[in-house]
Structures are given as structure tokens and as C-alpha cells.
Amino acid sequence: MLGLPKGQVFLVPWSNEWQKEYLLEKDQIQEVVGQYILAVHHIGSTAVKHLSAKPIIDIAIEINEFQDGEKCITPLETLGYAYKGTNVLPDRHYFNKGEPRTHQIHMYQSGNKYLLEQLAFRDYLRYNETARIQYEQLKQDLSTVNKSNKHKYADDKTNFVKSILDNIKK
């Protein structure tokens, strides 16, 4: 199942289909904007086996120059993405697809600190079962309390994410 209706927060159990969906989308993205791409990454909770997640595929795209993101807008629109600009989330071009939303693209200049943190956090959860289970429990609790407030849901996960990133840096 993919798709999160606007204004809702809920989790679904992890699915093998998420990896397949990511790979299909990655191929389509590379077909239309491949000349600007250095790397494409599956990020977020759908990229971590056995982690319940909001049913949205998060994709990080690394580009060489930040302004190249503007050259990707029209081609990505042909795949159904809506460009939301650079002010939604820090230091990235942000796109989303579908209503309900099924995919998000976070487009970063290579070496961006937010990209590196997302990849580090994802990898930590992939290889640390205890942390993955703790994070899943936190997300389940927060999704119950914040069913219609995605910003509060995201903000309330911040301390956990920061603690993992601080632990990685040690």
C-alpha cells in the first residue's frame, strides 16, 4: 500500500513492495534527469527493512550543483511530481507526487549535511535492530497522538534522531 492522504499521519507495516517501488521510480527519474544526477538513494523509513512507516517512498537525489535542481523541474513534472520549491525543507529542492502522496524527492547538492545525516541515520537503523525497534515504537506512539499533525509528528522524532546521529559521530 502506498499513499498518505493530506493532513493524515499513520503507519503501515514494512513491505517488500517499497523497495520494488523505489527501484521502478529510480529508473524513471534517471531516464528523465539522469544527466544531472550523481546518485539516487532510497531514504526514510520505507528504506529500512522491518520498520513500519508512513506509506510514502522518500528518494534523495544528489546533484553536482544546487542550481541544477531547477533544470529538473519540468522533466520530473512529466512523471507526476509537483515542485514545492527550496523553502519547504532546508537546503534542498523538494518534490512530491500523488494525492494521496506516494513519493517525495529531496534533491541535494552532493555533500549536503542533511543528505549525509539521512543516509547515516538510515544505515544505522538498518544495522542496529535495537535502535530500529525503539524508533518504530516511538513512531507508533507519535502517530497515534498526532494523527492529523504531520509537523508535530516529525518534530517529536527529532530528539531520537539527533541522539542516534550524535552516537554515530562519537
Side-chain angles (χ1 to χ4, degrees), residues 37-167:
I37 295 175
L38 297 174
V40 181
H41 308 277
H42 188 183
I43 59 170
S45 294
T46 60
V48 179
K49 280 187 179 183
H50 310 298
L51 179 60
S52 295
K54 294 181 297 179
I56 301 170
I57 305 297
D58 280 294
I59 299 168
I61 298 177
E62 270 184 85
I63 53 179
N64 199 32
E65 298 294 332
F66 190 73
Q67 62 269 23
D68 286 345
E70 294 172 12
K71 299 172 188 166
C72 298
I73 297 169
T74 301
L76 288 172
E77 286 175 341
T78 68
L79 298 178
Y81 284 93
Y83 182 60
K84 301 299 182 179
T86 58
N87 297 322
V88 176
L89 294 163
D91 293 340
R92 73 196 79 181
H93 295 275
Y94 176 72
F95 301 79
N96 63 29
K97 179 179 185 176
E99 189 50 56
R101 191 170 24 136
T102 58
H103 298 77
Q104 301 180 127
I105 292 175
H106 307 262
M107 188 176 285
Y108 300 96
Q109 183 169 331
S110 186
N112 177 284
K113 114 181 178 143
Y114 296 107
L115 170 64
L116 297 175
E117 288 177 349
Q118 285 186 335
L119 295 174
F121 184 69
R122 177 204 65 192
D123 292 347
Y124 189 85
L125 293 180
R126 282 179 171 174
Y127 299 107
N128 188 311
E129 184 178 9
T130 301
R132 178 185 50 79
I133 291 168
Q134 289 172 338
Y135 187 54
E136 182 170 53
Q137 186 60 57
L138 173 65
K139 288 171 29 130
Q140 287 173 340
D141 293 346
L142 293 175
S143 69
T144 301
V145 195
N146 299 302
K147 288 180 183 173
S148 58
N149 190 338
K150 70 179 183 179
H151 298 293
K152 179 129 177 57
Y153 168 81
D155 289 346
D156 288 351
K157 295 186 302 179
T158 300
N159 286 338
F160 182 88
V161 174
K162 281 184 179 174
S163 72
I164 295 296
L165 292 171
D166 288 344
N167 189 34

